[in-house]
Amino acid sequence: MATSKETVTFLLEQLAPLDVRAQAMFGEYGLYCDEKVVGFICDELLFVKPSKGDADFGAQTIPAPPYPGAKDYWLVSGDQVGDVEWLQSFIRATADALPKPKPKPKPKSTKGS
């Protein structure tokens, strides 16, 4: 089941005022915080990327793959999605623990022959 835009909007509202966005990919959504991939929204569920920042949060979640063949992420239950303070803290801790994204290479310029 594909994730609805309403679910994505709800999750982004729960995470405001963090610098978050969702990007459609492969029929589902990637979740970004501070331009770092912190999780996925798949089948109407939130999966958070494991990181060194999840020590206080992982025990309250379930390890599960966001899609077939993927490594386990932390599956966040509906109760935890409703706990705005907890959810924002989890996403913030995850983003803070992840490395900055590598800059995209500039396209090579081609000089006229």
Side-chain angles (χ1 to χ4, degrees), residues 31-81:
L31 180 66
Y32 293 76
C33 181
D34 298 336
E35 294 306 311
K36 300 172 186 178
V37 178
V38 294
F40 294 104
I41 307 167
C42 300
D43 293 329
E44 302 287 326
L45 300 170
L46 175 60
F47 296 85
V48 178
K49 188 174 190 171
S51 71
K52 292 182 181 181
D54 60 23
D56 296 331
F57 305 97
Q60 299 173 46
T61 59
I62 301 166
Y67 52 88
K71 293 180 182 179
D72 282 349
Y73 276 51
W74 296 115
L75 173 58
V76 179
S77 75
D79 289 343
Q80 288 146 329
V81 167

Side-chain angles (χ1 to χ4, degrees), residues 10 14 77-85 87:
F10 173 75
Q14 292 293 90
S77 75
D79 289 343
Q80 288 146 329
V81 167
D83 184 343
V84 174
E85 186 176 319
L87 183 62

